[in-house]
């Protein structure tokens, strides 16, 4: 089987022959084409904007482990593919990247985080998008069922689950049990849950015990790892 370098060379030669372009390895150019290899899958990506999508004006404050805006934007669009405004909650909001992406698309947003530093950062960032959402970001423990009960009126939950590296996790079991139960309940009520996690098997272990929902898995490459996006929807 050909290695990644060989595949990149084949793709570069084919594109250069077709369009008459010059291949520049890992340099900024007017057209940026990237090849991602994951097992037997190959994904060809083309940058279609003049500036990288990671440069967002709302990034006023950053915190450890902040999610990339491009990934956050993809998670929001998976949860809410249409144009109709939804009520979106991120139970582990960090610096608010997901909230800012959702608010930028016209959705109502709420956020919670157990770290006060993250809450302050998230409030500062969301204020750059929609000031009235500032007061909807709270300091709370989202491994508690009470926190999920408080946000039971939302129609979409979108979150990057804690990886346990930047911010310690007291109990992963409590985290996955509460999140699994919460998004399953949301799915049965017609909502959608989209979760990014490095331990999909532990979340799935909890979700498999739930009825009335369907779960779709997508593995991605991020920061040298291959986390999984779990999308929970109503069954059928």
């Amino acid at each position: 089987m050909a290695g990644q370098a060989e595949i990149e060379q084949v793709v570069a030669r084919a594109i250069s022959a077709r369009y008459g372009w010059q291949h520049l390895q890992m340099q900024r150019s007017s057209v940026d084409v990237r090849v991602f290899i994951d097992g037997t899958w190959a994904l060809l990506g083309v940058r279609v904007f003049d500036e990288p999508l990671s440069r967002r004006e709302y990034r006023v404050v950053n915190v450890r482990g902040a999610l990339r805006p491009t990934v956050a934007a993809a998670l929001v669009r998976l949860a809410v593919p249409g144009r109709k405004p939804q009520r979106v909650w991120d139970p582990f909001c960090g610096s608010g990247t997901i909230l800012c992406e959702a608010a930028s698309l016209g959705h109502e947003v709420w956020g919670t985080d157990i770290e006060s530093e993250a809450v302050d950062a998230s409030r500062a960032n969301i204020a750059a998008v929609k000031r009235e959402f500032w007061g909807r970001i709270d300091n709370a423990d989202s491994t508690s069922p009470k926190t999920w009960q408080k946000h039971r009126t939302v129609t979409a939950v979108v979150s990057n689950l804690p990886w346990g590296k930047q911010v310690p996790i007291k109990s992963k079991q409590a985290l996955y049990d509460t999140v699994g139960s919460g998004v399953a309940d949301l799915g049965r009520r017609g909502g959608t849950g989209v979760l990014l996690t490095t331990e999909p098997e532990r979340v799935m272990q909890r979700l498999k015990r739930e009825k009335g929902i369907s779960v779709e898995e997508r593995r991605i490459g991020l920061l040298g790892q291959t986390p999984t996006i779990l999308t929970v929807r109503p069954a059928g």
Side-chain angles (χ1 to χ4, degrees):
M1 181 177 176
Q4 180 169 336
E6 295 175 88
I7 295 175
E8 288 179 348
Q9 290 174 8
V10 170
V11 172
R13 285 197 297 267
I15 293 177
S16 297
R18 176 66 175 79
Y19 297 102
W21 296 343
Q22 180 183 2
H23 177 225
L24 300 175
Q25 181 70 24
M26 299 301 289
Q27 295 184 36
R28 174 66 63 186
S29 61
S30 56
V31 177
D32 188 2
V33 179
R34 300 188 182 189
V35 178
F36 301 90
I37 307 296
D38 183 7
T40 58
W41 288 84
L43 176 65
L44 195 67
V46 182
R47 178 172 54 82
V48 295
F49 298 95
D50 292 335
E51 293 293 333
L53 290 177
S54 58
R55 295 179 184 173
R56 295 291 206 259
E57 293 183 358
Y58 63 71
R59 296 297 287 264
V60 179
V61 181
N62 225 326
V63 297
R64 296 171 298 168
L67 185 64
R68 290 185 175 179
T70 47
V71 178
L75 296 179
V76 172
R77 284 167 171 78
L78 278 175
V80 191
R83 295 178 176 272
K84 183 179 178 181
Q86 300 288 326
R87 299 187 299 277
V88 179
W89 174 43
D90 183 352
F92 306 95
C93 65
S95 60
T97 309
I98 289 174
L99 301 180
C100 290
E101 291 295 333
S104 298
L105 293 174
H107 303 300
E108 295 185 65
V109 301
W110 286 262
T112 54
D113 201 283
I114 198 169
E115 294 286 321
S116 57
E117 176 189 3
V119 171
D120 291 341
S122 189
R123 286 175 173 174
N125 290 332
I126 197 65
V129 180
K130 209 156 189 177
R131 180 72 188 182
E132 55 264 43
F133 292 157
W134 185 94
R136 296 184 179 185
I137 301 173
D138 298 321
N139 190 194
D141 181 6
S142 291
T143 64
S144 169
K146 292 182 179 179
T147 303
W148 285 78
Q149 184 63 31
K150 178 182 176 181
H151 293 87
R152 203 168 185 271
T153 60
V154 301
T155 55
V157 168
V158 186
S159 195
N160 173 25
L161 299 186
W163 294 21
K165 293 186 176 182
Q166 300 293 345
V167 178
I169 301 173
K170 291 182 179 180
S171 171
K172 284 191 175 182
Q173 191 63 50
L175 168 67
Y176 297 136
D177 281 350
T178 304
V179 170
S181 175
V183 295
D185 176 63
L186 174 64
R188 284 191 290 268
R189 291 184 285 109
T192 303
V194 174
L195 309 171
L196 179 66
T197 176
T198 55
E199 296 185 305
E201 64 286 345
R202 297 188 66 169
V203 184
M204 285 298 297
Q205 186 178 19
R206 182 64 178 81
L207 290 173
K208 286 178 180 179
R209 291 153 49 188
E210 301 287 347
K211 296 181 179 180
I213 60 171
S214 66
V215 185
E216 183 178 4
E217 300 183 55
R218 293 180 176 87
R219 192 171 63 171
I220 65 172
L222 180 64
L223 302 175
Q225 298 194 51
T226 54
T228 297
I229 299 173
L230 299 177
T231 303
V232 180
R233 292 191 174 93

